[in-house]
Structures are given as structure tokens and as C-alpha cells.
Amino acid sequence: MANQSFFDKPKEQSLVKIEIVAKYFWAWAKIIINKTKKRQEVAYVDLFSGPGCYKDGCKSTPLLILERAISEPDMRKLLVTIFNDIDSNNTESLQQAITALPEIDKLKHKPIILNKEVGEEIINEIKNNIKSMPTLFFIDPFGYKGLSINLIGKVINNWGSDCIFFFNYNRINMDLNNPVVKKDMNSFFGEERANALRTQLESTKRPYERELIIVETIAQALQEIGGTYVLPFCFKNDRGTRTSHHLVFVSKHPLGYSIMKEIMAKESSTTEQGVPSFDYNPATPYQPLLFELSRPLDALENMLLDEFLGQTLTMEEIYNQHNVGKRYISKNYKDALRKLEQQGQIMVDPPASKRKKQKGEITFGGGVRVTFPPK
């Protein structure tokens, strides 16, 4: 359970987390609804929902999701919501906050509130409620008891279903070798993977290296259970000196990955040559940039010349084929290709002279065709 002061007032990091989840939910829901001929119902499930409001009055994710649904005619009819929390004080508070929402009765499906421990039993109950609905799952655990990578695999197996998983990096780092919670860590990763991770970390003392190994292990595990597209976002502590949490997005579709990448990019604290850092560091404005001397956009130009040697593709095809697993967003690809065009290193159809200008720059739309030189 969360400590008693956790819900007094949200930290900056919590506000950013809430913003990312709420923005993605809305973008995801609109796409799913518009792609289905019968205007299929969609679901939002929060396994660790909390009380709904912080004590200072700030609304958490469940209320923001419901308010947005109330304001949209389609969503009022099509959204199914399930909120769970093992703390009965939280579920009671959440119920009161939901009941107090203006026009909550406009929702066709009354929000379902559960008070259960996370594990196989509750997942089966949730699956019975949502059937085959596309579902966005939000998992923000206070601990890891009952939670596992395989469980996340089960929740995203419906068509159109994605998951946003917020995990405490420091807790995993400390608990992997803690005999008191070793069983929970084995259940979370799977015993074989957990033991391999422990062995790998034995000779790794530098914090940033340990972090990379743990995040990479989680990402690979999520891909193995069906989450083809995995995108992590890092949160630093209040002083900006250490990582506190990671928000990991899991999807089976490149469109969801691309949308979340754009959302996370806008919430990043820093950029280098316009390339987002994919982290939130509250101390960044008062510190020199960690990657002050790096030039990632230059690196992208060289990558594109090497990887698409002698090929002709549209800008959209280049982006879709190349961006997964990299920090670059669509704008970065357009900037890199525009620069290569100016340098005469690629052929572009239509050329810059026949494309429009927007905000002082020549546009580079998704349908623009690019021919890379042979070796």
C-alpha cells in the first residue's frame, strides 16, 4: 500500500505521469472507435486506482478519464471503466469522487469499482466484464505482490489493447536480492529470468548500468509475451540526481507506439538538436544538460544513409521502418531528410522548389519520396 502522505499533494512527476496517460487514452480511444464499423465499446482498466483525488483537490487519472468521456457523446455510450484498489479507504473515496462528478449519469456504463488484490483472480473477473473489448490498462503498483510480466501479457491479448506500466526502479533494484520479497520478484519476472538478472547485476555496480540492464530486461520480457512495441520514459527524483520510476508503454501496433512517442517527447525535460530525451527531470532547468555535446540528429543522418542505401521510400515508410527502439520522432526524420536534401546527398520527389513552406521551413510530408544513393 502507498504510505499515508502519498495522496496529500501530487509531485511534479505524478502530474506528468497523469498527463501522459490521459493524453494517450484519448488519442487511443478515438482511433479505436473510428476504426470499428459498429462503433465498438472500449474499456479503461486501472488496477491500482487510488482515491480519485489528492487531498489538495487535484484529480488523478480515473476522474480525468471519466470527465473526458462525459464531455464526448460517443464516449458516453461506448466507454467501460473498471477501477481497482486493495485499500478499501481508496475505493470508498474514489466512489464518492465519481458520484460527485457533474453529469456522471450520462455514462451508459456505470464505472465498476473493485476492492481486490491483483492476481489471476481479478484479471479473470475483469476479462469477463470486458470480453473482447479493446482495452487500455494502466498499472501503477504500490508493490509487486501478485503482479507479473505474464499477467501483463494476458491483459493486452485483446485486439487494440495496450498497457501503460509505471514501476519503481529503485524498489526493483533493491528487492531483487531481498530475501523477504524474493518470491514476489521471482513471480514478477519469472524465476529463470529473475535469476539471470541477479547474476548479470552481481558484477555491475554503476547505477546507470544497473538501470539500463533492469529496464532492458523488462522491455525484452514484455516483447516476449506479445508486447511488440515497448517504449520507456524515465522519471528522476526531486533533485534530478537519480532515477525514481519508469513509465513503460506496451503495444502490439506501431500506430500506438508512434502516438505515445509523440506524447512522451512533448513531456521530456530536454532535447538535443530537437531529439527528445524521454525523461522528466525536475532539476534540469538548474543544471547543465547531461548530453550537451551530443549531436543525435547528425547521427540520424548517417544512419539513414547507411541503412537505406540505394533504396527509394516515402518519408512515412522511412519513419515506420526505422524509428522503433530509437529516441527519434517524426519531426526529427523530416529535419534530417531536409538537411540531407539541402546537402545534395539524397534525391527527393517532389523537390524542395515544388513543396510548400510552413513556419519558414520547406515541408516534408509523409508521401514525399526519397532516393538514397548507392554505396
Side-chain angles (χ1 to χ4, degrees):
M1 286 185 192
N3 63 55
Q4 292 183 345
S5 65
F6 182 83
F7 289 107
D8 287 352
K9 182 180 179 180
K11 294 182 178 181
E12 285 184 47
Q13 293 93 324
S14 293
L15 293 174
V16 172
K17 172 188 68 177
I18 291 168
E19 187 76 2
I20 290 173
V21 175
K23 281 182 177 178
Y24 184 76
F25 163 76
W26 185 238
W28 167 86
K30 285 199 296 185
I31 289 171
I32 295 295
I33 289 172
N34 290 332
K35 276 188 175 291
T36 53
K37 294 179 181 179
K38 295 182 178 180
R39 313 291 276 177
Q40 182 177 355
E41 290 172 326
V42 297
Y44 175 82
V45 176
D46 189 336
L47 292 180
F48 301 86
S49 59
C53 282
Y54 291 84
K55 289 181 181 178
D56 70 346
C58 183
K59 296 169 184 173
S60 61
T61 318
L63 297 189
L64 295 179
I65 298 292
L66 292 171
E67 283 184 334
R68 191 64 189 261
I70 291 168
S71 70
E72 298 289 336
D74 279 345
M75 292 300 293
R76 288 179 208 156
K77 295 180 287 185
L78 299 173
L79 180 64
V80 173
T81 52
I82 301 176
F83 304 107
N84 176 71
D85 201 293
I86 194 172
D87 188 334
S88 58
N89 292 322
N90 284 344
T91 54
E92 289 171 12
S93 174
L94 178 59
Q95 182 63 74
Q96 291 172 7
I98 290 174
T99 302
L101 285 175
E103 300 184 304
I104 186 66
D105 291 337
K106 285 189 174 182
L107 294 180
K108 178 180 177 182
H109 301 283
K110 183 179 178 181
I112 299 169
I113 298 180
L114 303 175
N115 175 215
K116 296 190 175 184
E117 189 174 274
V118 169
E120 293 284 346
E121 183 181 338
I122 190 174
I123 294 302
N124 291 335
E125 182 174 347
I126 288 170
K127 298 289 274 185
N128 286 334
N129 277 291
I130 63 176
K131 305 300 180 185
S132 59
M133 292 178 205
T135 305
L136 178 62
F137 286 86
F138 181 42
I139 303 175
D140 182 3
F142 302 132
Y144 294 93
K145 186 176 181 181
L147 186 61
S148 69
I149 296 291
N150 286 335
L151 209 65
I152 295 174
K154 287 185 178 181
V155 303
I156 63 168
N157 62 8
N158 284 356
W159 172 84
S161 293
D162 293 338
C163 178
I164 301 171
F165 171 43
F166 191 64
F167 74 89
N168 186 323
Y169 157 73
N170 288 313
R171 180 172 289 174
I172 288 180
N173 187 34
M174 292 185 297
D175 286 353
L176 269 166
N177 288 304
N178 182 344
V180 178
V181 289
K182 184 176 181 180
K183 183 179 178 182
D184 290 341
M185 286 291 96
N186 286 349
S187 295
F188 176 73
F189 284 102
E191 188 169 356
E192 184 178 341
R193 182 179 280 110
N195 286 333
L197 182 56
R198 291 183 185 106
T199 300
Q200 197 173 3
L201 293 174
E202 278 178 5
S203 58
T204 308
K205 304 301 180 186
R206 294 177 181 175
Y208 76 91
E209 291 179 343
R210 294 179 68 88
E211 179 182 347
L212 288 174
I213 290 168
I214 290 171
V215 175
E216 182 65 21
T217 298
I218 290 175
Q220 289 178 355
L222 290 169
Q223 287 174 329
E224 287 175 15
I225 50 85
T228 310
Y229 300 93
V230 178
L231 184 64
F233 186 93
C234 173
F235 289 83
K236 299 296 183 182
N237 62 13
D238 292 339
R239 296 185 302 278
T241 55
R242 296 177 62 189
T243 294
S244 62
H245 292 76
H246 283 272
L247 188 70
V248 179
F249 171 70
V250 189
S251 180
K252 302 189 296 296
H253 199 282
L255 179 57
Y257 180 87
S258 182
I259 291 169
M260 181 56 96
K261 184 181 260 194
E262 296 289 338
I263 291 170
M264 287 181 172
K266 289 178 181 176
E267 299 299 334
S268 298
S269 295
T270 60
T271 61
E272 303 123 44
Q273 288 191 294
V275 179
S277 61
F278 288 92
D279 70 23
Y280 179 77
N281 185 338
T284 293
Y286 312 105
Q287 296 175 341
L289 293 181
L290 181 63
F291 301 108
E292 187 178 357
L293 299 179
S294 82
R295 297 186 63 79
L297 202 60
D298 296 347
L300 177 59
E301 294 165 22
N302 293 327
M303 275 191 268
L304 296 178
L305 290 172
D306 289 340
E307 295 186 31
F308 295 106
L309 207 67
Q311 298 183 51
T312 298
L313 308 95
T314 64
M315 183 272 157
E316 187 175 1
E317 289 170 338
I318 294 167
Y319 172 74
N320 289 338
Q321 289 183 34
H322 191 265
N323 87 96
V324 176
K326 301 177 180 68
R327 286 192 295 152
Y328 302 111
I329 57 175
S330 178
K331 181 181 183 302
N332 300 146
Y333 285 85
K334 293 178 181 180
D335 289 343
L337 291 169
R338 193 182 289 114
K339 189 174 176 183
L340 290 172
E341 181 184 19
Q342 291 168 354
Q343 295 169 348
Q345 295 197 62
I346 56 175
M347 297 291 292
V348 179
D349 182 25
S353 60
K354 294 186 178 181
R355 302 199 306 273
K356 296 179 181 178
K357 262 193 174 184
Q358 197 171 52
K359 296 181 180 180
E361 285 189 327
I362 301 293
T363 57
F364 214 109
V368 173
R369 296 182 67 78
V370 178
T371 300
F372 292 89
K375 192 169 183 179

